[in-house]
Amino acid sequence: GHLLDGANRTAFVTLALQRWLGIRMETIGNLITLSSCVSCFLFKVPPSLAGLTITYSLGVIPIMNWCIRQYSEAEALVISAERVGHY
């Protein structure tokens, strides 16, 4: 019972942190998209270039999510290897 509660607690914290990070990353990605749209409007960019710019700014969100998840997974693996070496 006690060990299971501890495992569930850590799993819940991990899930909550992933959701928190996901919301923050989506917000940053949406701000990037908004800034590219506003910039295209203010600088009177041709429609073809504006479409390309907005499309690339929308593609940044999944790339940022993937990079951060890979970094955190690699960090967790390094920490687990350090713990094994310590024990």
Side-chain angles (χ1 to χ4, degrees):
H2 178 67
L3 294 176
L4 187 59
D5 288 342
N8 286 338
R9 191 175 308 120
T10 57
F12 177 75
V13 169
T14 302
L15 183 64
L17 287 174
Q18 287 175 352
R19 299 289 186 225
W20 179 85
L21 182 63
I23 290 171
R24 298 308 184 265
M25 295 303 294
E26 289 288 330
T27 302
I28 291 170
N30 289 334
L31 288 174
I32 291 171
T33 304
L34 176 68
S35 65
S36 69
C37 291
V38 170
S39 297
C40 288
F41 178 75
L42 290 177
F43 296 119
K44 295 181 174 57
V45 175
S48 59
L49 187 59
L52 185 65
T53 304
I54 294 168
T55 301
Y56 280 149
S57 69
L58 287 171
V60 167
I61 300 169
I63 293 170
M64 286 191 317
N65 283 333
W66 180 81
C67 288
I68 288 179
R69 290 192 194 278
Q70 292 300 316
Y71 174 76
S72 62
E73 184 177 340
E75 186 177 359
L77 290 174
V78 168
I79 289 172
S80 66
E82 287 176 357
R83 287 182 182 169
V84 168
H86 177 71
Y87 294 134

